[in-house]
């Protein structure tokens, strides 16, 4: 195996990366042109690149925090592409957001190729999306044949059919309209519902085309969920050679690594909801417009146990009814709460809920037994429509749902899992989702990520708490990890925060737990927006607080300032309007604290209304906090504060997105000044111009900074 030289960036390479030469390779106003204007600003990027080369060289784990503007994408792409070419190895790059995935494929890979020279022009890099993003020709044909949609759905189906003859990749993003989730879920590819080379549409399959492209690629760009989908299959026995969800690889770069635990938690959780249940039942059997449809009739027609048909139809109805009763009981327990775990309910509530769980489990288990008997007695040679295979897919899904319910009943056998339920809003009202989630992901991360891979490199702008990585290490399985060498480092942002950012905290605002805090927020936000004349992202931790402040501002704001509010349009549309209109303000909550990239004047001010502490009653957080307390620790300092600091740093990072950006960050939560833990938040951000004073003084400071 060929290794990098420790001094891989020798004089010739550094000369190649000279600003003048790089500028000639890029458009004058290209995304990286301004970054390379000054050699001094590039030093952190070159240092990060060398550290990543070292990780490849030593087959080590790299954990690197790189501040905004370091250029981490290019810093890991250069060594990844060199390593892949020299050793004929594949490198997987996993990110948390589609925006970064597109940036890597559409811009950064091309830039890296230009820097590395002619011999890299043919290197293939492929964006790998989940199956649900792609059209399945077989399922589309089935949906058209059944003709079982209302008029609106049928019209969408016909449009998709026409598009299917023209599209090159079959990706939903290639459609010129956004199909409803109901229609798309009926025609998209599904990982457990694919006959592979036995499919009559195999030669034209869009997913198989992507798989072939991936197998011929040196660089794969994926999201965290796809990465874990692949790693879990391999860890459970498939092995690390050959193609699972992804082709084989043993080198991973995890960008936006601050969110890797949440992605893993989501993937390794199991759940059941009314919609998931109804979808499978409707695929089996439905009676509409005076006729019956679904695959059950097809299975019955070729089964020696056709007499089970009536029993199965009855069990479908009974299972649906018993889940509805379970859902109603859960809603009674939740009332004003969004979610609860079984440990957060009273003994009486738990008993009633689990009685409903037991009733539903018995019904769905009986259904599964009857359905399995029916399928096993079917004649495969007569199965021209593939009903048996489709039936087995549905049976497998129903068994998984039954397993979740069975585990709820046997929860004491899963001491490391949280059993909880939450409300979800639908067009038909409220519904409930029942979820089983692993509490400690560290062993899973060790077993599926860090142990089997030759090199794992984790990078993000927000990994440290204070001066160390201990919190992230502990949560992700690297604390006291000795099986591989760990190389860690911090690369500060080259952006001039100390002269381009004013950091404000009003000292005369009430504490968040005081009754007049919301009124003060309303008035202060209004005053701040009038000073900046828009150009502001206001981040809340509560949607209720957001609504109150947004309503107040809309009633009192001067004309000429546009108010955008999360929930009134989809995320991408809101961000587009916010970027396009410099007089606009965007009121948003948790999902906008990260992943918002608005360089320039359109985002000149970020207001953080409260420190982003997790809701203490949130089931998973509460279970982790209880575990810390039981072991003699302090859950507030060991869990609440570190999690809030990471989120706080993400929110703060929305402001400076280029070397020339300048603006203001205002925090309306003075706990950051008066509580002992507050200093951790201040220490977690770069040096700035600080103004910790009364509101009027801050308003004057902002005015001077922006206009004088």
């Amino acid at each position: 195996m060929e290794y990098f030289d420790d001094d891989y960036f020798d004089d010739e390479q550094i000369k190649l990366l000279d600003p003048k030469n790089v500028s000639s390779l890029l458009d004058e106003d290209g995304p990286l042109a301004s970054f390379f204007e000054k050699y001094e600003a590039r030093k952190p990027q070159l240092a990060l690149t060398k550290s990543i080369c070292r990780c490849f060289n030593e087959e080590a784990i790299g954990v690197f925090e790189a501040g905004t503007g370091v250029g981490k994408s290019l810093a890991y792409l250069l060594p990844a592409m060199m390593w892949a070419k020299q050793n004929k190895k594949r490198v997987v790059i996993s990110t948390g957001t589609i925006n970064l995935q597109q940036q890597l494929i559409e811009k950064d890979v091309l830039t890296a190729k230009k820097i590395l020279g002619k011999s890299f022009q043919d290197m293939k890099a492929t964006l790998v999306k989940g199956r649900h993003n792609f059209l399945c020709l077989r399922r589309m044909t089935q949906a058209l044949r059944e003709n079982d949609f209302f008029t609106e759905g049928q019209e969408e189906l016909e449009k998709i059919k026409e598009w299917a003859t023209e599209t090159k990749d079959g990706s939903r993003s290639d459609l010129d309209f956004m199909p409803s989730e109901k229609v798309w879920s009926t025609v998209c590819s599904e990982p457990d519902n694919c006959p592979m080379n036995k499919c009559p549409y195999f030669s034209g399959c869009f997913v198989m085309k992507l798989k072939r492209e991936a197998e011929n690629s040196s660089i794969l760009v994926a999201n965290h969920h796809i990465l874990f989908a692949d790693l879990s299959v391999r860890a459970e026995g498939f092995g690390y050679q050959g193609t699972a969800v992804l082709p084989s690889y043993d080198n991973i770069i995890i960008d936006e690594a601050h969110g890797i635990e949440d992605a893993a938690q989501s993937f390794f959780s199991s759940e059941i909801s009314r919609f998931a249940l109804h979808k499978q039942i409707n695929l089996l059997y439905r009676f509409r417009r005076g006729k019956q449809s679904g695959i059950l009739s097809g299975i019955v027609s070729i089964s020696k146990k056709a007499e089970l048909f009536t029993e199965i139809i009855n069990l479908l109805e009974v299972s649906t009814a018993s889940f509805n009763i379970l859902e109603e009981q859960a809603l009674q327990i939740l009332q004003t709460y969004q979610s609860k775990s079984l440990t957060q309910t009273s003994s009486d509530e738990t008993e009633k809920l689990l009685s409903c769980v037991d009733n539903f489990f018995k019904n769905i288990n009986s259904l599964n037994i009857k359905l399995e008997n029916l399928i096993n007695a079917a004649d495969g040679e007569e199965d021209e429509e593939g009903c048996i295979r489709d039936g087995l897919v549905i049976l497998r899904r129903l068994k998984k749902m039954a397993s979740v319910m069975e585990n709820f009943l046997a929860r004491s056998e899963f001491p490391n899992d949280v059993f909880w339920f939450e409300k979800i809003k639908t067009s038909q009202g409220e519904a409930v989702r029942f979820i089983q989630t692993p509490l400690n992901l560290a062993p899973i991360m060790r077993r599926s990520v860090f142990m089997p891979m030759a090199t794992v490199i984790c990078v993000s702008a927000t990994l440290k708490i204070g001066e160390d990585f201990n919190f992230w290490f502990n949560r992700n399985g690297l604390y006291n990890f000795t099986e591989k060498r760990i190389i860690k480092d911090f690369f500060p942002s080259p952006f001039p925060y100390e002269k381009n950012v004013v950091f404000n905290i009003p000292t005369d605002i009430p504490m968040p737990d005081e009754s007049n805090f919301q009124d003060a927020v309303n008035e202060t936000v209004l005053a701040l927006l009038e000073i900046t004349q828009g150009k502001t992202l206001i981040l809340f931790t509560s949607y209720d607080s957001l609504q109150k402040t947004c309503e107040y501002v809309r009633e009192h704001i001067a004309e000429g300032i546009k108010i955008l509010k999360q929930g009134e349009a989809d995320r991408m549309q809101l961000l587009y309007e916010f970027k396009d209109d410099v007089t606009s303000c965007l009121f948003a909550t948790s999902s906008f604290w990260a992943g918002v990239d608005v360089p320039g004047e359109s985002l000149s001010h970020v207001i953080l209304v409260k420190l982003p502490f997790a809701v203490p009653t949130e089931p998973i957080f509460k279970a982790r906090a209880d575990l810390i307390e039981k072991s003699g620790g302090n859950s507030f300092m060991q869990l609440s504060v570190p999690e809030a600091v990471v989120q706080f740093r993400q929110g703060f990072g929305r402001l400076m997105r280029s070397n020339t950006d300048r603006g203001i960050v205002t925090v309306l939560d003075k706990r950051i000044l008066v509580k002992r833990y507050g200093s951790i938040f201040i220490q977690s951000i770069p040096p700035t111009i600080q103004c910790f004073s009364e509101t009027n003084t801050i308003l004057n400071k902002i005015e001077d900074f922006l206009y004088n």
Side-chain angles (χ1 to χ4, degrees), residues 356-426:
C356 296
V357 169
D358 185 46
N359 188 41
F360 169 68
F361 169 69
K362 288 175 179 175
N363 290 328
I364 194 172
N365 195 44
S366 297
L367 168 63
N368 291 339
I369 291 170
K370 299 292 183 184
L371 180 59
E372 188 166 20
N373 288 339
L374 179 74
I375 294 172
N376 288 340
D379 187 344
E381 293 182 3
E382 295 183 31
D383 187 22
E384 296 179 1
E385 299 295 326
C387 292
I388 295 175
R389 190 192 55 78
D390 288 346
L392 288 171
V393 169
I394 294 169
L395 176 63
R396 188 161 56 245
R397 293 172 181 173
L398 290 174
K399 282 185 173 182
K400 189 172 182 180
M401 294 180 195
S403 176
V404 175
M405 295 286 88
E406 186 175 27
N407 293 348
F408 261 73
L409 295 169
R411 63 197 182 284
S412 60
E413 298 175 16
F414 301 90
N416 295 318
D417 287 13
V418 183
F419 293 87
W420 57 294
F421 49 103
E422 67 173 353
K423 285 189 284 193
I424 49 178
K425 290 184 178 180
T426 73

Side-chain angles (χ1 to χ4, degrees), residues 124 126-129 131 134-135 137 164 166-171 174 189 194 196 201-217 220 243 245 247:
K124 287 200 68 175
T126 298
L127 174 59
V128 183
K129 302 179 190 177
R131 274 181 173 266
F134 294 92
L135 177 69
L137 296 171
E166 304 168 351
T167 179
K168 291 182 179 180
D169 66 0
S171 171
D174 190 44
S189 180
C194 178
M196 301 294 287
Y201 302 94
F202 182 77
S203 61
C205 176
F206 298 115
V207 171
M208 291 303 118
K209 179 183 177 183
L210 177 67
K211 277 185 174 285
R212 288 190 291 271
E213 286 183 11
E215 287 169 357
N216 292 321
S217 297
L220 299 182
T243 298
V245 178

Side-chain angles (χ1 to χ4, degrees), residues 552-623:
Y552 179 87
V553 169
R554 279 178 168 166
E555 288 177 1
H556 297 89
I557 195 79
E559 289 186 11
I561 299 177
K562 186 175 184 179
I563 305 299
L564 303 172
K565 177 186 171 188
Q566 181 179 346
E568 293 181 344
D570 68 54
R571 178 188 172 91
M572 295 309 297
Q573 183 181 341
L574 285 171
L575 287 176
Y576 177 80
E577 288 189 57
F578 184 52
K579 289 179 184 180
D580 192 53
D581 188 344
V582 294
T583 69
S584 66
C585 304
L586 175 55
F587 287 69
T589 54
S590 55
S591 62
F592 284 78
W593 283 68
V596 173
D597 189 5
V598 184
E601 188 184 6
S602 291
L603 179 45
S604 299
H605 190 188
V606 174
I607 300 174
L608 308 178
V609 174
K610 286 176 67 175
L611 296 179
F613 287 108
V615 178
T617 56
E618 191 276 324
I620 297 173
F621 179 90
K622 179 69 165 58

Side-chain angles (χ1 to χ4, degrees), residues 15-30 32-38 42 111 114-115:
K15 184 179 178 182
L16 181 63
L17 288 172
D18 184 80
K20 295 176 184 176
N21 293 327
V22 173
S23 294
S24 69
L25 294 173
L26 302 173
D27 294 334
E28 193 170 336
D29 59 347
L32 297 175
S34 62
F35 178 76
F36 285 100
E37 283 177 358
K38 294 182 180 179
R42 286 183 15 257
T111 301
K114 289 177 181 178
I115 293 170

Side-chain angles (χ1 to χ4, degrees), residues 49-65:
T49 306
K50 289 195 72 172
S51 293
I52 292 173
C53 287
R54 186 178 165 200
C55 290
F56 278 107
N57 201 21
E58 300 180 14
E59 295 194 342
I61 295 169
V63 180
F64 306 117
E65 178 172 300

